[in-house]
Amino acid sequence: MADSLLAFFTIMDSQDGIIVKDPPKFDLDLYIQNYKGRTRFDRLFLIGRSSVPLCVDALKAAIAEAKRGKDTQRYREAVECLRIAAPSEPEATFDQAWLEAQEAANQIETNRLLTELKGYKNNLIKESIRMGNEDLAKHLESIGDLNAAAETYSKMRPDVSTPKQFLDVGRHLVRVSIQRREWGMVSAHLSKMGGAQHAEEEKAVQPYLRIAQGIALLGQERFKDAALSFLSADSTITASTYSEVASQSDVAVYGGLLALASMDRNELQSKVLDNSQFRSFLEQAPHIRRAVTQFVSGRYSACIAILESYRPDCLLDIYLQKHVAAIYSQIRSKCIIQYLIPFSCVSLDTMNKAFGGPDQGIEDELADMIQSGAVEARINTIDKLVTTKAANPRAKMQYSALRAAENYEKQALDRLRRMGLAAAELELKGGKKMGAFPSNQADFMIEESLEL
Amino acid sequence: MDHLASALLDFPPAGALPDDDRYNWAAKSHSEKVDQLAVTQSFKEFAAQLLDHVDPALNSISHLSLLIAARSANSLPQAELLAKISIFLSTFDARQIRYAGKAFSVLLDWLVGGTLFPASVAVELLTTALLRLDPTGSVLTSYHVALVKLAFDTDNVEHALPVLEKNVVFYPGAKGQLETRPLCALDLPPVSYITIESGLTKQLSSGDVLQYDLLRGLCFIQRRSWAQALDALERVITYPARDNHSCSKIMVEAHNKWMLVGLLLNGKAPTLPSHTAGGAQKAFSTLGKPYQAIGKAFEESTAESLKTEFESVGPQFFSEENNLNLMRLVMQHYQRWQILNLRRVYTKISLEQIRARTQSAETAAPLVTEAEIQALVQQMIDEGMLSGVIERPADGGPAYLAFHETDDELSETDFAQKMARTAQQLAELEPLVKATNERLGTNREFVRFLVTQQKKDKDARRDYDLSFLNQVEDEDLMTGVVAGF
């Protein structure tokens, strides 16, 4: 690795960024073609900051992307990164002239739109005001002032007159909220969009709604709900309606992975593999389909192997990145649990072969899982065996019956005691507020005579 | 003297008394007569001689007054007097003593004073006497409090255990009680005859009650009987309060010990019972902070934070709070609990692995050699804390610990036995519940409360009916919706 790259990733590491050393399986150019809008830059920039092999290419693409737009702040950030990572590249120098010209143009445009809007407001024509607000908000969004953009978009709401306009407002707000990573707001805006629409319009935005909802739920780490949301997206609607948020293969990856992490085998079969809607999404991501199939048919090690080989791809995804570790470990422990179910005794060696990596054995992981109560099993480290313990409802019943009786006795005694104390009027009464310790007890000290 | 003797032997008469009322009357008049005789000069003179003729088990009231007279006249050699007192206290007729509470309390005061008998004997005699008087052990008396103090201070806990292990649910000093049965009635619950008026106890304060349970807790701690200690201390910390801000210092002290005992007993911090008084909860959370921090650190998987927690507070602090020894035990037990918790994960594990996986709270590092860990594990097995065995394979493989399978499931007969035992324990509560019920039923204030409550219920019902009828629209009258009214 070049020195400059090394320096760049040391900085990224110190900022708690995730660094991916292995090359992903996708081609950067093809990958980015699937998206449109501001998410393109976000994705490129993320890849540039995370992936070692793609760093320079992605950053260069990000700079080009930023230069095509109007957001000067993004340009600065991208160039700043490239300057550290690859100072010799021609793109690594600031295009000062462009920057200044663009900033000036932005300012002029903002002012122009503001004056126009003022004019519309004076004329009191609703439609014009709405359009004025929309233009201004779009401009604000494109120059990166997301806060003001969200505010201006929501000002469109009172002047909406058709269902399509209503949906547009919602989509704008959802898009901005996603960019600001405000998952709660995304859900709130989506729920507003959900109600009272005409059937056709609703049908056209259905995948958009579901996918955005899924992303929001993913952001809130509600994996199962997110999975269900992705799985119910309508695949017959063209991808361009939601390409500012995610691509078709993204939907397949998100939905499949989250389903793997949160559902059992029957559910996976019925809700993922037999789901005709979702099948066409899965065609875009055959590896996820393979992983789910392997899991359902009980070949857990194959499933994990496939997922592991795609870990770099997932780590370079803008929404998935933060959750990959959690999702993968959930899938893994589910595999281990499912693997153990049919056996009463398994040797550690076979488990190691199935799940263990070259550098770490399965034993510690299994011990942690038993400790946390995820698996009912015992490890025998001497004979290298894992014995599973079947739940014993009889023993549980006996235990809880005895406990209940014990508790009953304890509580009965306690209540009798309290009644006795109340009858004898011996309850504590503080008198004054500050007199928490009655003075006649203040000098009461106990000498400890515990002999050891 | 003969005249005295005949009066003293007068009660109880040779033939058994036919009913409680007759007994009550006879016992009362006899006790009054003895009280009158006791002040006469001749009584004091002949007391020592008469003692031999009056059977302590049969004529308990008379024997008791003779003992008191003999001591005050100093007419008996010390050794003989002590022997007589001991015999009396272990054989007296508890039914008669209900009529001679004031005299009996004089005798008990001698024991509590601690000068007459050596402490160990005094504790034993007090325990016997208290249990003879109240076999259920359900009533707290001032002598209970004195007993636990004496036993704890003089390190004679063992002899007091029969009393200390009883569950106290009644306290003297209840007001507004109407007892219609005579004092001698055999079905009379102890709480009705052990009263301040009968002289068998003195007035207690809430501080006394708290002290009693705290000292009980300390006694059990001394005996390392953690479950009982936890129970006793829990009684202190859940002591009821009338308002929402008061808390006794004793309760805070108990809370701190309770936390440490809980760690020793269960390996995790106990949770505060929900019915703890509000003021106490607040006081515990501020004044018990170091202990709660210890409790939290104890549950962590590495010893580091427990060690720092202990050291940041410092042994000085715990020693001032008289908790240093308990605290030391907690530190020692940390590793033991770690080892014990391994049984939930492993059936067999090598000693080397145990060494690497568990840490001593004293050094916050694993033990250095396998021999040390072996000694520790062996100690745990010997003490019965751990059920397992250390095995050394013949082929020279590493030594390992095999946990015994704990078979959770009980056989049908075992389970039936256990359930029967529990049912028996519950049935034993019945007299206590009955007594409480009776006392409530005869309590003036409670009856008054019940009457107002019933009236309120009736009013509420009427109000509801009215409001419902008002709600019914005129049209509904035909649908039969109000037919029931």
Side-chain angles (χ1 to χ4, degrees), chain A residues 218-230:
Chain A
L218 169 64
Q220 297 165 45
E221 298 188 358
R222 285 160 56 189
F223 295 154
K224 174 107 191 211
D225 295 339
L228 289 173
S229 192
F230 286 120

Side-chain angles (χ1 to χ4, degrees), chain B residues 139-154:
Chain B
V139 188
L140 189 73
T141 67
S142 48
Y143 297 104
H144 279 78
V145 183
L147 168 68
V148 72
K149 269 189 203 163
L150 187 65
F152 184 73
D153 289 345
T154 60

Side-chain angles (χ1 to χ4, degrees), chain B residues 75 94 98 122 126 145 211 213 265 286 368 374 390-391 394 404 422 425 441 444 450 458 461 468 477:
Chain B
S75 52
R98 296 181 193 177
L126 253 176
V145 183
Q211 267 191 44
D213 278 321
L265 178 67
T286 48
V368 185
Q374 186 184 349
I390 297 180
E391 306 248 12
H404 286 317
T422 335
Q425 277 170 3
R444 210 173 292 134
L450 265 190
K458 222 182 275 165
R461 178 74 202 164
F468 176 68
L477 287 171

